[in-house]
Amino acid sequence: MKYDIVIIGGGPAGLSFARSLADSAFRVLVIEQSDAADLEAPEIDGRDIALTHLSKKILTEMGVLARIPEGEIAPIKQAKVINGNSSYCLEIDSKKEAVDALGYLVPNYLIRKALFEEVKTVGNVELLTATSVKGVQIETQQATVFLSNGESVEASLVVAADSRFSATRRKVGISASMQDFGRVAIVSRMTHEKPHDQIAYECFHYGRTLAVLPLNGNLSSTVVTVTADVASQIQALSDADFAAEVQARFNNRLGEMRLEGKRHAYPLVAVHANKFVKSRYALIGDAAVGMHPVTAHGFNLGLRGQDTLFREIKAAQLEGRDIGDLAVLEKYQEKHMRVTWPLYTGTNEIVSLYTNDSVPAKILRGLVLRLSNNFPPVKQMISKKLTELGGHEEGGLPFL
């Protein structure tokens, strides 16, 4: 079987890339180890994605957002960052930035579902489910992908979107930098007595981090980040005790809080591939860059990356060039690396600083927050990265 492009992984990055290729002259195959039923009706995983303006634009052009109920898309009007026990906070307001919202919260499982529904309608894309990849062989004129069913497929270009622990990335000899934070994020949804006014909070307490993100109505997505040993203790709490713990840590800002649905725990490991391409092979999504969630850039970087790769191979096709040629793929690598590396390293530094509870670090944490709040160029830079209002080519440092 011969294809122009084989995509390994039917998650958000892989499916969004497949959707970008709709109506192109490329013959595309998506290989996913999950069953079709799991893609068609993904389980609720507790994660709510904070879409930037660029991501919203891309998903709207794909037709994906139109498949998500309007009531499930919640605007973020303000963002506040709180350090320790201080009442002082860094504040970014959509009104001051002259936009309708800083970003938009959408459930991850609904994005996955909508992407699958879109890709199913694309005539030049085939989906091969319940199948894993056993290996990839790269040759001068083509790449061969070996499947768990004993068959193999050939392609001009193989694109891996098979998670931050990508097996094919290792098998083709691409190394990656990895940072295990030794922490676990416990995500859940909670109802509350008082309105949140569409304000997102990131509270860097001592020993833990609490994010409270506004959904529609008196409902918020909460993320409690703690060391792995403390996470097991928190998960052992009853629903009522867990809600009371979050309510107290949040200083009763929203009044009485109650757990809505299940709690989900995710170990935090960040990954950045040391290069994104080889001849006839490219990485996108978490296989290229898996971010710590504190700056909310993980999904957005994946969406941006696949869009960058699509633009480069489309341009090569129009010029009559080989889409799997290393010179073509290196253009994608150069552009995406320029965006991802500063974000990856900057985010990891922020996490290191704001989870360090030593006295010097506490002082520095407060100083950094005040500098960010009171020095306009810094605050404008933070706002631009938070919203991605700068457009597709905008790079720079992460949101603090």
Side-chain angles (χ1 to χ4, degrees):
M1 291 181 285
K2 175 72 175 178
Y3 295 87
D4 296 300
I5 301 171
V6 169
I7 302 169
I8 302 172
L15 290 178
S16 60
F17 185 55
R19 178 60 184 83
S20 292
L21 294 165
D23 303 322
S24 69
F26 299 120
R27 188 183 178 201
V28 181
L29 175 67
V30 179
I31 304 169
E32 168 56 37
Q33 61 184 358
S34 301
D35 294 332
D38 294 332
L39 296 179
E40 191 169 6
E43 292 185 1
I44 297 174
D45 59 9
R47 291 179 289 182
D48 289 284
I49 305 299
L51 298 178
T52 63
H53 286 258
L54 176 60
S55 292
K56 185 187 178 193
K57 178 178 182 290
I58 294 172
L59 291 176
T60 298
E61 291 173 349
M62 287 181 176
V64 171
L65 276 194
R67 293 181 177 273
I68 297 174
E70 189 174 341
E72 294 285 358
I73 302 173
I76 301 173
K77 298 291 186 180
Q78 285 180 269
K80 295 184 178 183
V81 181
I82 299 170
N83 176 40
N85 300 319
S86 173
S87 59
Y88 184 83
C89 68
L90 166 64
E91 182 177 332
I92 299 176
D93 194 324
S94 60
K95 291 181 181 178
K96 294 179 181 178
E97 301 303 323
V99 291
D100 61 340
L102 298 175
Y104 306 86
L105 286 163
V106 185
N108 181 60
Y109 82 98
L110 289 181
I111 295 175
R112 295 171 64 99
K113 183 174 185 292
L115 278 166
F116 178 70
E117 290 171 350
E118 272 296 312
V119 171
K120 281 197 308 180
T121 68
V122 177
N124 62 311
V125 175
E126 297 178 39
L127 284 164
L128 179 61
T129 57
T131 305
S132 58
V133 171
K134 293 300 183 183
V136 177
Q137 181 177 316
I138 298 174
E139 299 173 339
T140 304
Q141 298 299 322
Q142 68 180 30
T144 304
V145 180
F146 300 95
L147 308 176
S148 58
N149 60 12
E151 298 179 354
S152 63
V153 293
E154 298 173 354
S156 297
L157 173 63
V158 174
V159 176
D162 52 342
S163 87
R164 66 188 65 199
F165 304 112
S166 171
T168 61
R169 182 183 65 212
R170 294 193 301 272
K171 288 177 180 177
V172 303
I174 294 180
S175 61
S177 301
M178 186 175 296
Q179 183 163 347
D180 186 341
F181 295 97
R183 291 177 177 262
V184 174
I186 301 170
V187 299
S188 62
R189 285 187 163 196
M190 303 192 76
T191 58
H192 36 80
E193 182 183 1
K194 299 177 183 178
H196 46 49
D197 298 323
Q198 304 305 136
I199 302 173
Y201 291 88
E202 187 80 51
C203 307
F204 291 101
H205 296 143
Y206 302 132
R208 71 179 63 195
T209 301
L210 172 64
V212 180
L213 311 174
L215 303 174
N216 288 323
N218 281 21
L219 181 68
S220 291
S221 174
T222 65
V223 185
V224 178
T225 304
V226 291
T227 55
D229 55 336
V230 175
S232 60
Q233 299 171 24
I234 292 176
Q235 284 292 72
L237 294 174
S238 67
D239 289 351
D241 288 343
F242 174 77
E245 170 80 3
V246 173
Q247 179 181 328
R249 293 275 179 177
F250 200 47
N251 290 329
N252 296 298
R253 287 182 179 87
L254 298 177
E256 184 180 2
M257 302 181 74
R258 294 178 181 272
L259 188 67
E260 182 84 7
K262 297 180 179 179
R263 286 168 271 174
H264 304 262
Y266 297 99
L268 298 182
V269 178
V271 177
H272 195 293
N274 293 320
K275 62 180 181 179
F276 296 156
V277 301
K278 295 186 73 169
S279 176
R280 308 211 172 277
Y281 182 88
L283 299 168
I284 61 173
D286 280 2
V289 185
M291 295 283 290
H292 188 289
V294 69
T295 53
H297 274 291
F299 177 87
N300 296 299
L301 279 180
L303 201 57
R304 174 195 281 261
Q306 66 79 29
D307 188 62
T308 302
L309 178 59
F310 165 70
R311 291 168 186 266
E312 291 303 323
I313 64 173
K314 185 67 175 177
Q317 180 201 35
L318 292 174
E319 295 169 1
R321 302 178 65 188
D322 182 352
I323 63 171
D325 185 74
L326 183 59
V328 172
L329 300 178
E330 283 179 335
K331 289 184 178 180
Y332 153 68
Q333 175 175 266
E334 179 186 358
K335 290 181 179 180
H336 199 44
M337 190 74 74
R338 190 167 63 238
V339 173
T340 62
W341 184 247
L343 279 169
Y344 178 80
T345 55
T347 296
N348 290 353
E349 288 299 321
I350 287 170
V351 172
S352 297
L353 174 61
Y354 280 87
T355 55
N356 186 338
D357 296 332
S358 67
V359 173
K362 288 180 180 179
I363 294 172
L364 183 57
R365 284 164 59 162
L367 290 174
V368 169
L369 214 61
R370 288 182 182 274
L371 173 65
S372 303
N373 215 18
N374 294 296
F375 189 50
V378 173
K379 195 167 186 179
Q380 289 169 9
M381 179 188 66
I382 293 170
S383 178
K384 182 175 282 190
K385 286 313 304 169
L386 175 64
T387 60
E388 279 195 311
L389 284 169
H392 192 274
E393 297 301 326
E394 183 63 37
L397 295 174
F399 168 59
L400 180 59

